[in-house]
Amino acid sequence: MPEAEHRNESVTTVASLRARAERGIGRHQRWVESFTATIARPASLYVFVLSIATWVTYNGAVRSWGGEPFDPPPFSLLQGLVGAASLLVATTVLVTQSRQSRDFEHRAELELQVNLLAEQKVAKLIALVEELRRDIPSVENRVDEVAEMMTQPVDPHAVLSALEETFEAPRPGPTHAPSGPPPEKLPGERGRS
């Protein structure tokens, strides 16, 4: 298969996986994610800040105009609205992140499966090359310990155990060597170096 066809097939496969994941998203989830995407823009921040500044300025200045503020300081109505908006924003962000996290986990599992399969194929290719090398009479027959090790597929359980041991091992604290010349001895000090 030519390289361009292989690349196009890979792109098509990735696009179909993404499309399938998008089809699995419900209407409510789409609405929440659309809302999250809208409030995640810089323009939303400017609108929020301008709205709050206008609210505070109007309610602070309306008495000087002879009127009665609808939310006098300490702006309890504004505080309630900001609290409700914060709850709404936090909830929508968590809902969006939850789905994205699930998608990421699915992609990571797929990537792991593809990598394990590729590793098995590479191990098989190395074994075949080594077998071919031994069968060709004009090639010197020697033992290649590294190639021999690489013919064995990696045991994912052993790798996982090694990773867990590495992550669980106590890490030494930072060691800082003193910089600069050693401190000078004060007159009358002994034993300090």
Side-chain angles (χ1 to χ4, degrees):
M1 176 183 295
E3 183 181 342
E5 284 182 37
H6 181 68
R7 185 175 44 245
N8 289 340
E9 184 179 329
S10 298
V11 169
T12 303
T13 302
V14 169
S16 69
L17 287 172
R18 179 173 286 195
R20 188 170 67 188
E22 290 292 320
R23 282 193 305 269
I25 299 173
R27 185 176 46 140
H28 297 288
Q29 182 74 30
R30 285 186 195 282
W31 182 85
V32 168
E33 291 184 17
S34 173
F35 179 76
T36 304
T38 300
I39 62 172
R41 294 190 175 118
S44 297
L45 174 66
Y46 303 143
V47 168
F48 293 146
V49 169
L50 183 63
S51 299
I52 291 171
T54 302
W55 184 292
V56 170
T57 303
Y58 174 80
N59 283 292
V62 75
R63 282 197 182 166
S64 64
W65 302 330
E68 190 64 34
F70 64 89
D71 188 22
F75 311 110
S76 55
L77 181 58
L78 177 62
Q79 291 176 26
L81 289 173
V82 168
S86 298
L87 179 64
L88 178 67
V89 167
T91 303
T92 58
V93 167
L94 287 173
V95 168
T96 300
Q97 286 180 339
S98 175
R99 187 194 63 84
Q100 290 173 344
S101 177
R102 282 192 310 272
D103 286 352
F104 177 75
E105 288 174 9
H106 291 312
R107 274 188 239 119
E109 288 173 8
L110 177 63
E111 187 176 320
L112 177 61
Q113 291 173 358
V114 168
N115 285 338
L116 288 173
L117 182 61
E119 192 274 332
Q120 290 173 351
K121 288 179 178 183
V122 168
K124 180 65 177 174
L125 285 173
I126 291 172
L128 290 172
V129 167
E130 283 299 298
E131 185 179 322
L132 184 64
R133 184 183 57 79
R134 284 189 295 272
D135 290 345
I136 297 177
S138 62
V139 176
E140 181 182 329
N141 196 7
R142 61 182 173 79
V143 176
D144 187 343
E145 293 174 8
V146 174
E148 196 61 40
M149 275 187 352
M150 294 176 100
T151 61
Q152 303 300 316
V154 172
D155 178 12
H157 300 290
V159 173
L160 180 61
S161 295
L163 282 173
E164 287 172 347
E165 288 173 12
T166 301
F167 290 136
E168 292 173 1
R171 295 183 181 161
T175 55
H176 298 289
S179 59
E184 294 182 31
K185 291 183 183 179
L186 296 175
E189 275 190 339
R190 285 192 225 161
R192 186 173 173 206
S193 48

